[in-house]
Every structure is written in C-alpha cells, then in structure tokens.
Amino acid sequence: MTINAGTRLGPYELAAPLGVGGMGEVWRARDTRLERDVAIKILPATLVHNPEFRARFEREAKTISQLNHPNICQIYDVGEAASDVPTSPSSQRHTAQDTPNPSTLYLVMELLDGQTLADRVERGPMPLSDVLRYGAQIADALAAAHRVGIVHRDLKPANIMITKSGAKLLDFGLAKGAENAPVQFDTTDATQHKPLTAKGTILGTFQYMAPEQLEGDEADARTDIFALGCLLYEMLTAQRAFEGKTKTSLIAAIVSGTPRSVTELQPVTPPALEHVISRCLEKQPDDRWQSAQDVAAEMRWIASRNSSSIMAAEPAAARPGRLRRRLVTTAVCLLALVATAAAAAYFTRRSHTPAVLHAELSPERGTSIAEVNLGAAVLAPDGTRLAYLTRVNSATQVALAIRDLRSGVVTALRGSEGATFPFWSPDGESLGFFAEAKLKSISSSGGTVQEICDAPASRGGSWGSDGTIVFAPDIKAPLFRVSEAGGEPVRITDKGADITHRNPYFLPNGKTVLYVVGSAAAKGDVYAGSTEGKLKKLIVKNASNVQYAEPYLLFVRNSNLLAQRFDLRDLSVSGIPQPVAENLEYFQGRELANFSASRNGMLVYRKRSTRLQQLTWYSRDGRRGEDVGPPGRYITGSLSTDGRKGVLGVSDGTVSDIWVMNTVQGTLARATNLKTTNTVSAVLSPDGQRLAISNAVSLRGEGQLWTQPISGAGSRRELGTSVRGLWPVIRAWSRDGRQIVIIVQQNTSGMDIVSCSPDGGPCRPLITGPGNQGVGAALSPDGRWLAYTSEETGRMEIYVTTFPNPGERWQISFDGGSLPRWSADSKELFFKSGNKLMTIPVGTVFEVTQPVALAVDLSNSTWFDVAPDGRFLLAQNSGDEDLNPFHLVVNWSRTLRSQK
C-alpha cells in the first residue's frame, strides 16, 4: 500500500513524510477538527497481520497513554482507519489502491519541531551544558515511566528528539509494563538509525543493550539506566561506549569490556559526570544507579555547582569472576568541573600535539561576575589562575576573587572590597588593583593590602619585570610609573591634545608599554610608549585594551576579539587581523574588553550578555501580577507620574535607544533613533509630554543632555552645558517641572549629583565627592527630599537630604543599598538591599527608622519602579539561557590560519 500527501486517516490529512523505520512511517499531518499539526505513525501494511508487531504497536499506544510528562512525546489518538477520499487537489489523482484499507493502524502524536539526538551527535560532541540539561531531562522521562512500571528497553539517540522546549523521549514500541511477560524481538533491530562510526560497525539497538538483555534475562529500570549511560557517553564524546565490527565482538565488549574514559576523549569533562556515567555502565544491575531519578538529581547537582564539584575517586576494583570497573567516593574535595579538567589536560599532556580545548567558568553559587567597566578578568602569567571581580549575594560592592584552574578552588581576597582594574605581578605572586582613590597591591594568597600611591579615578595598570608599575591615575590623565614599593609617581606620557591615556600593558622587555589613546577624532587607538617617556608610536587604530601572546597582539574591535601578528623588535603589526571570538563584553568609552591571555596558550574571555528582561507587576506582598509587553533588553527604566507609561533604555545587544511603553496595553513606541553603543537613560516630565534624555557617550565632549517631545517629533532643547561630555545620566524630573537631577562624572571625585533647569543653562551642584555619589538618585514627589546613593563608607549606601537646597542628611541603609524609589504620596522610600526590597516610612520631619523588608524578591531583577497604586514594576531576567560565564580556551592560537 502506498501512502501519499493528501491521504486521509479519519480526520487527519497527511501532509509530508517525516521519517521511516522498521516499525512504520511517520508523517506530518493536519488534524482537521482541531486545526493543529500532528505527527502520525503508521504501521506498515506488511506488518499489520503480524501478531507480534501488531501487539507491539498497540502496546506503544497504551504505554504512552499512561505517561504525562513534559519530556515524553504525547499521544493524542489511536485509530484503525477505513478508506477515505483524499481532499487536497494534489491527491485527486490517487487510485483506489493508494487509499488505506480498513486494517491500517496509526498513532497520532505530538508534532515535535527539532532534530533527533542521533542527528545532533553526528555533528560532534555536545557542549557540557547541553549534556547536563538534556541528560537530566531524559532521566526524568525514564523515571516517570519507571514509576508506573514501564521499562523502555530501546533507549538510543534515534529515540530522543531535541526541541526548543528540551529533550523528548519517543518510541515505546519495545516498552514492557510490569504486567507484561518478556517480549522476544529481532536483534537485527527493527528501528535502525544512521551510523556514527566507520563502515562495518554494528548499528542500532545492540549498541545500547545492557548485559542482562543480551543474556536474555528480565529487563527492569536498571536496564534503561545502562542505556542512559551509553547515551550520555555518546553525547559527550560523539563516540559510542561499546564498539564491534561483528555481533560477537560487540556483545563481548558490552558484557566484559570497558569503554575508554570520557576524559581521555573529552578532557574537560567534570570528574563527577564521569562518575555518573561509569556507574550507569556497571555490568551488574545492582552496581548501577538504582533509579533514573537519582541520575537526574546528580546531573542537576553537577550543573548547579557551576564550576565546582565535590568528588574524589579511588581506582577501580574487580569482583572475582566478573570484569567490571567501579568508582567509589572516598573523600570530599573541591574540584573545578570544567576549568580543572581543561587545565589539567593542558599541563599534563604537553608532550603530545596540543589540542584546542574549550570550557566554561561560571561564578560560584551566590556570587556574580562584575561588569567589565570595573575591570577585565586577568590570567596569571603562567595560566594557572584567574583573577576577576565578583559580587556576593547581589551586593553592590565588588571584591577580588582568584580561581585556581588546577584545583578549582576559589579564594576571595579580604581587603580588596571596592577593587577595580586588577593586574598581576610578573611572578604571579601579587595582584595590583585600585580602590578608595589609591593604587594598592595584595598577595595572591591573601594577606595585608599595601597602599602604593594615590590614584583618584584610575583606568588601569600593568606591572613590569623590574618592579615598576605603569598606571593611569585619573580619567583624563596621562600615564605614570611608580615603584611597587611606593613613592612619588613619575609621568611617562605627554597627553597633549589627547583626551585620555589608559589600559597600559607591559611588553615582555619590561620597558615598552602599550596603551589606549582616547581623542576627539578616534574611538581608541593603541600606541607604544616607554617607561622613560621617550616613545610614542601608533600600533593599531580603533582597538580596545591589548595583550601580547607570542607572536600575536590581541585586541577587540567592534566587539570581536582579533589576533594580529606583532613584531617585538620594531613594534609593528603585520598580516590581516584574524577573528578569535565574537560578541565580547565591551565597555565603550573606556575601550575595555573582557579578555586575558597567558604566555602559555591559555585564553579567557567573556561574551556580551544576551539575557532578556520581562517587565512584570508585583504587589507589595510578593504576589506576581501581569507581564507587561514582550521580553527585551531593558537596560534602564522608570515610570511616569501616573504609572501608565514606562520610559525604557532598550538595547538590541549592540546599540541602544529610548522607547516609551504603554504599561496598560504593553505596546512600545520608539522615542529616539540614536543607535548608540553607550548608556542612555530618560525620564518623563510631570505632565508626560516631554522626555529628558542623556546619552553618555564618553569623555570626548560627546556626552549629550536634552529634552524633546515624547513622540520624538519636534525640536530638542540642550541641557546642562556645564556638564556635557562627563558621562551624564538623567535620574529625576521634579514634580513642579523646574529641575532635572543628573549624575555626572567629574575628573577626580567620581560621580556627583547636579540639578539643571529644563530651559537650559548651567547646572548647580547638589552632592559632591569624595567617592561616587548618586549612581542612584530619586526626588520625592512633594519636592522635599532627595534620596541618593554614596560609597563614602566604602560600600554603596542610601542617604536622604533636603531638596532643593541640600542640608542635613541621613543614612538610611547600613547593609548596602541601591535603586532608591519614592511612593506617590512621598510617605515611603523604597530601595534595594541585597536581594530584598526595603521600605522606610517618611513623615513631615525626617526620622531614621529601621527599614522593613517587603515580600518582593529582587534577586532576579535588574531594576524596579513603583506605581501610584503601590504596585512595583520589576525588570526580571527572563529564563536561564544566559549565565554569561567566562570562556576558557586552551591552545587558542591553533585555531588561526597561517599567514606568510
């Protein structure tokens, strides 16, 4: 019998074939009653009268119907169709012999859009994160089947679909329920799939059978767990756990052989995951994991550890009369999941041909990686450790952490709170950094922090082999040098008409320094200078911070990491820059990208965040309300006075603009067409008719402040002529419409707060240094109070002072604070402290009382605002697709093509 597009099986009209196997054809079809697409599996006519296959087909329908799980393909219907007349024009030419006879059996199933795991693995090993995610989902699906007494018995890559929503388990044709007797089946495998290995290899189910299946013993849940181990092995390595050129050799390998270690094939495999797989593959069912749920839990535990796992193993032991391999936990050690394996593979295999290895380094649980604008991560010169800036439990303040790539141990350096722009000493024994307007150093193992000299608002440093440190002490300063022991800094570059010199980097000779020059005419050019101040040579135009990794110079341009050959003798580049990585985390204006290379072939970089935010309403008792609008990259945001509009700084991942959202309808309208790579922010005027906008372009006189109609049409009115070009950020518009509060970047004192008239003209200072003031600032609607943040205590805290004339002030938070917001009646002040939304009452006379935590959880939110009706609008990170880890590459230069 021939089945064609247009053939009807009851209410289902076949559209196109999806695949064919020993148990039938699978077609895409249309359910004409419910108007949805489905998948239909049809038992071939040649098997309809075979009692065994017919029973197997019916058993699959009954089996799947008992299961309701997100990782198991759903069954909608089962039927035995009589002849139907094709309804589509293309099917009118079919003859009677083409229509199904009354014995045509079919299953109607969920239509899955994706690819089989077999097809995915055929392209090569899967990323660790995908193995852990999909592996746990497959184990969950098996556990759901096992709980109702169903054993799959045919788990293999061809029976797993990878879809947008995750892994889906298919084909229960060989499944056995608790009440069924064992079913004998043809070991030639009626559901074959494409080979992954060389020609002549046995294909199909044989490769995934447990020893007890091959010996004819009863199969139980642990039989599926053996197949799951084979599956995980294949996902990690793109090779099968057991191979054989003949049935005999394959059976021998499964019954008595030991697969190659997964870390031998994929050195970056976490030791804990290898243990999970090894235990799945034990020869004796009693020695395996006893439930698929345990396997799923183990894999999620490994994933949750991010970059570390508790695992140690002793050598395998053999039981008399049986050949097997067994891993037994004997100690508890903190090991890095990915970095340890990658680094260990590199440091122990140097006698072999170097392989390019990739891994991911995620932050420790309860911590997050700080943004690159505070300083890039830096590899130790020998590539064994990574220093980076981290936040603990969503704190506003950062500190230095060091991850040992050999052991995985992460060490927080006490005394480094508030650190920026870290850099290593040449011997890797110390770190330099900037904090509290000082250049400081600390031992890489911790200890006393040493102050070296003043550095009011530094933009980077580098440590030479003779103990000289070159650094940029201020935003618009030239470069200086100073002894690591301290002393009076000496200027080594002549800034002249340049705006800034920053991001210095010592070349191996210890005398020459590469650095970035910011000027009114260029985004950032790299020059070479000397510690004696006798050199200024252009090296690369339009580039970020640079590093030398013999024989290449690494730098970022247009967010892409590039490598270009560099001659140390004449300080010149040659050849064409070659791409190494794309979409790096980059801070425009500081010309700073997040990457670092060691002298022995290690590279670390961090990509630009791709996580989206969803705007959502919450009540003060923590109940979630409606989502507002679609997910997007809502970098900044604030509500209008009536709460019906939201002004958003929206990014597409590269450039940003201001949009206005109707919070009732969830619709967005563009207000600007800047397409800027810089920070944009805006607030609405009290009457909701105009926008005050800031475009903080950099230190080159390009910073912009203006007001414009909310529609974007009409004239712009310039603001704050006295603060243009100093990173202005709009924070608030007074309720009487007469003043706009702006945060500005001053030369030496960090961030200050000023007030500007919407009619233009100079601005007047409100809150000035030392330290950063007003990263967050908010005016009370009644115009009496200004709430702002300041880090004068060494940590960002919330303060309140009088407005419009600042006088007495009060510290409100004492455990860190950010994002101050006022209630519509000015009787409450809200702010973020850690992950908590705090509130404090405000009367006619300001009195400091104990802040109270509301039930609203801010742990997943980037910002919030409060509406007049008391609800909170939260910008929450959408999904878990963007953990934004560091990427570690071993022997990265081997990815480059040779150039003459």
Side-chain angles (χ1 to χ4, degrees):
M1 177 182 66
T2 302
I3 298 292
N4 295 288
T7 298
R8 289 284 292 268
L9 298 175
Y12 307 104
E13 182 178 346
L14 303 187
L18 296 175
V20 61
M23 279 298 292
E25 300 177 34
V26 181
W27 283 74
R28 175 188 287 269
R30 184 71 173 172
D31 185 338
T32 59
R33 296 170 304 178
L34 301 178
E35 296 185 351
R36 65 177 176 182
D37 291 332
V38 296
I40 290 187
K41 182 175 181 179
I42 303 171
L43 185 65
T46 56
L47 301 179
V48 167
H49 301 295
N50 184 312
E52 179 183 337
F53 283 100
R54 189 181 180 97
R56 193 156 134 192
F57 196 83
E58 293 172 348
R59 181 168 59 251
E60 180 175 9
K62 293 178 182 179
T63 298
I64 303 178
S65 68
Q66 299 177 52
L67 302 173
N68 183 14
H69 191 273
N71 299 116
I72 295 177
C73 180
Q74 289 184 279
I75 184 169
Y76 297 145
D77 196 3
V78 61
E80 184 170 349
S83 297
D84 276 320
V85 178
T87 58
S88 67
S90 63
S91 64
Q92 297 302 315
R93 60 181 178 272
H94 297 331
T95 64
Q97 67 181 7
D98 294 324
T99 57
N101 61 43
S103 63
T104 299
L105 297 180
Y106 63 89
L107 296 179
V108 184
M109 299 176 293
E110 176 184 7
L111 180 63
L112 301 176
D113 185 13
Q115 62 179 334
T116 67
L117 185 59
D119 288 335
R120 169 58 188 89
V121 175
E122 196 171 36
R123 303 203 315 265
M126 297 174 67
L128 175 65
S129 57
D130 286 352
V131 174
L132 293 171
R133 176 190 175 195
Y134 297 135
Q137 292 173 351
I138 296 166
D140 280 339
L142 288 175
H146 296 164
R147 279 194 292 271
V148 295
I150 296 171
V151 183
H152 191 283
R153 301 198 304 177
D154 195 22
L155 185 65
K156 60 187 177 184
N159 286 340
I160 303 293
M161 283 288 291
I162 302 299
T163 71
K164 291 181 179 179
S165 61
K168 293 275 190 176
L169 181 56
L170 315 173
D171 201 344
F172 281 78
L174 298 183
K176 176 183 74 69
E179 74 285 356
N180 298 122
V183 177
Q184 300 299 318
F185 54 91
D186 185 358
T187 55
T188 59
D189 183 24
T191 54
Q192 298 181 26
H193 61 84
K194 292 179 286 187
L196 297 174
T197 52
K199 184 177 180 180
T201 301
I202 297 292
L203 308 178
T205 303
F206 251 118
Q207 305 267 358
Y208 308 96
M209 287 184 182
E212 63 269 22
Q213 276 183 294
L214 295 171
E215 294 170 0
D217 293 341
E218 183 74 11
D220 60 21
R222 297 169 298 179
T223 304
D224 283 346
I225 291 173
F226 183 91
L228 177 60
C230 295
L231 213 65
L232 295 173
Y233 187 102
E234 198 165 316
M235 292 164 72
L236 273 171
T237 66
Q239 297 187 31
R240 288 175 172 162
F242 302 100
E243 298 284 6
K245 293 185 177 180
T246 65
K247 288 184 180 180
T248 302
S249 62
L250 176 58
I251 292 172
I254 295 172
V255 172
S256 61
T258 300
R260 292 176 64 186
S261 168
V262 291
T263 54
E264 182 181 345
L265 299 171
Q266 285 293 320
V268 297
T269 302
L273 181 55
E274 181 173 32
H275 168 67
V276 168
I277 296 172
S278 297
R279 189 170 172 187
C280 286
L281 296 178
E282 289 286 0
K283 306 302 182 186
Q284 298 300 317
D286 288 345
D287 296 332
R288 295 175 204 146
W289 298 99
Q290 297 301 292
S291 80
Q293 192 60 54
D294 288 344
V295 178
E298 287 292 312
M299 298 189 74
R300 287 198 172 89
W301 177 82
I302 295 170
S304 72
R305 301 301 295 174
N306 294 318
S307 57
S308 61
S309 174
I310 300 174
M311 180 68 201
E314 68 179 13
R319 179 179 293 180
R322 294 174 181 156
L323 294 175
R324 61 191 181 89
R325 188 163 65 95
R326 189 173 186 178
L327 296 173
V328 182
T329 302
T330 59
V332 177
C333 300
L334 187 66
L335 302 177
L337 276 182
V338 180
T340 303
Y346 176 74
F347 292 122
T348 60
R349 296 168 181 256
R350 298 181 66 177
S351 60
H352 296 76
T353 301
V356 179
L357 303 175
H358 296 262
E360 291 183 352
L361 301 172
S362 295
E364 293 293 290
R365 181 184 291 272
T367 70
S368 61
I369 301 168
E371 301 81 7
V372 69
N373 61 296
L374 299 177
V378 282
L379 278 167
D382 62 1
T384 61
R385 289 157 295 163
L386 178 70
Y388 59 99
L389 298 170
T390 183
R391 287 188 173 92
V392 179
N393 295 325
S394 300
T396 56
Q397 192 174 60
V398 300
L400 273 170
I402 296 178
R403 182 187 300 276
D404 191 310
L405 300 182
R406 299 159 299 185
S407 68
V409 173
V410 176
T411 303
L413 296 184
R414 290 183 176 273
S416 67
E417 291 77 13
T420 60
F421 301 98
F423 55 95
W424 286 93
S425 62
D427 59 7
E429 295 299 316
S430 300
L431 278 163
F433 64 96
F434 303 89
E436 300 173 321
K438 301 285 185 181
L439 168 60
K440 302 181 178 184
S441 67
I442 187 172
S443 169
S444 58
S445 59
T448 304
V449 174
Q450 305 292 329
E451 288 190 3
I452 297 174
C453 66
D454 290 338
S458 181
R459 291 298 181 263
S462 187
W463 204 320
S465 55
D466 64 352
T468 297
I469 294 176
V470 169
F471 68 108
D474 211 337
I475 297 170
K476 289 190 174 182
L479 297 182
F480 286 74
R481 61 176 167 85
V482 68
S483 168
E484 62 186 13
E488 188 67 24
V490 177
R491 182 174 58 83
I492 65 169
T493 63
D494 180 7
K495 190 166 69 69
D498 298 334
I499 300 296
T500 179
H501 294 174
R502 56 182 55 187
N503 305 334
Y505 177 81
F506 263 112
L507 289 175
N509 62 20
K511 298 295 183 182
T512 306
V513 178
L514 301 181
Y515 61 98
V516 176
V517 171
S519 67
K523 289 184 177 181
D525 297 333
V526 175
Y527 280 77
S530 71
T531 55
E532 302 303 320
K534 298 178 180 179
L535 175 68
K536 186 178 181 181
K537 179 181 179 180
L538 177 64
I539 305 298
V540 180
K541 295 185 69 64
N542 186 17
S544 71
N545 52 311
V546 295
Q547 287 203 4
Y548 176 72
E550 187 179 5
Y552 297 100
L553 203 62
L554 286 163
F555 56 90
V556 168
R557 178 182 293 155
N558 298 325
S559 294
N560 296 317
L561 180 60
L562 305 174
Q564 190 170 12
R565 284 192 171 271
F566 183 67
D567 192 324
L568 285 175
R569 294 169 298 180
D570 60 7
L571 303 178
S572 64
V573 292
S574 61
I576 299 173
Q578 297 191 57
V580 178
E582 61 182 10
N583 200 31
L584 257 66
E585 185 180 26
Y586 185 75
F587 193 83
Q588 180 72 34
R590 294 185 183 174
E591 286 69 51
L592 184 64
N594 209 347
F595 73 93
S596 180
S598 68
R599 61 192 176 207
N600 59 351
M602 305 280 279
L603 172 67
V604 164
Y605 61 89
R606 191 177 188 222
K607 289 195 171 186
R608 189 191 303 270
S609 174
T610 59
R611 170 167 276 181
L612 303 180
Q613 286 78 44
Q614 174 65 61
L615 301 181
T616 306
W617 288 114
Y618 278 84
S619 62
R620 65 187 296 136
D621 60 3
R623 287 181 297 174
R624 178 171 181 155
E626 296 179 349
D627 290 341
V628 182
R633 294 185 178 92
Y634 303 128
I635 309 304
T636 60
S638 64
L639 288 171
S640 61
T641 55
D642 62 6
R644 299 177 65 85
K645 296 185 182 72
V647 185
L648 308 172
V650 182
S651 171
D652 66 0
T654 303
V655 297
S656 301
D657 265 296
I658 297 297
W659 292 67
V660 177
M661 175 180 282
N662 183 315
T663 60
V664 179
Q665 300 175 352
T667 56
L668 280 162
R670 179 188 290 272
T672 65
N673 194 29
L674 301 171
K675 296 182 179 178
T676 177
T677 57
N678 307 287
T679 302
V680 290
S681 61
V683 295
L684 267 171
S685 61
D687 62 7
Q689 298 304 305
R690 293 187 69 83
L691 286 166
I693 300 174
S694 61
N695 179 19
V697 181
S698 74
L699 298 174
R700 304 187 188 98
E702 302 168 353
Q704 299 169 311
L705 288 166
W706 72 94
T707 66
Q708 68 174 54
I710 188 173
S711 64
S715 61
R716 288 173 30 163
R717 184 178 299 160
E718 297 298 321
L719 292 176
T721 55
S722 63
V723 297
R724 288 184 62 190
L726 296 181
W727 285 94
V729 179
I730 296 282
R731 283 299 183 219
W733 198 325
S734 65
R735 186 63 61 89
D736 63 9
R738 301 165 76 177
Q739 298 188 69
I740 297 174
V741 174
I742 303 169
I743 301 166
V744 298
Q745 177 81 65
Q746 303 290 9
N747 284 341
T748 59
S749 59
M751 306 293 290
D752 290 347
I753 306 174
V754 301
S755 174
C756 300
S757 167
D759 297 325
C763 299
R764 65 184 183 93
L766 292 176
I767 308 294
T768 58
N772 285 328
Q773 318 295 327
V775 174
L779 285 175
S780 63
D782 62 10
R784 300 181 62 213
W785 314 107
L786 171 66
Y788 65 96
T789 57
S790 174
E791 61 177 9
E792 60 189 75
T793 64
R795 174 169 60 186
M796 200 67 76
E797 301 285 4
I798 301 289
Y799 295 81
V800 171
T801 188
T802 55
F803 187 84
N805 299 310
E808 186 176 1
R809 67 180 193 139
W810 302 268
Q811 183 174 343
I812 302 305
S813 67
F814 297 90
D815 194 26
S818 62
L819 297 174
R821 297 288 187 267
W822 291 93
S823 63
D825 59 7
S826 303
K827 293 182 178 180
E828 276 187 287
L829 174 64
F830 306 97
F831 63 92
K832 180 179 181 180
S833 181
N835 295 329
K836 299 177 181 178
L837 177 58
M838 311 297 294
T839 179
I840 185 171
V842 179
T844 55
V845 177
F846 201 91
E847 294 182 0
V848 178
T849 60
Q850 181 67 34
V852 176
L854 298 180
V856 181
D857 182 9
L858 297 180
S859 60
N860 197 38
S861 301
T862 55
W863 56 265
F864 78 93
D865 205 351
V866 59
D869 61 6
R871 292 181 301 162
F872 299 94
L873 185 67
L874 272 59
Q876 295 185 302
N877 290 321
S878 171
D880 61 354
E881 71 279 3
D882 177 31
L883 299 177
N884 205 15
F886 289 115
H887 295 264
L888 173 67
V889 187
V890 181
N891 297 316
W892 64 270
S893 63
R894 289 181 60 81
T895 63
L896 304 179
R897 66 180 185 274
S898 61
Q899 292 183 351
K900 293 184 179 180

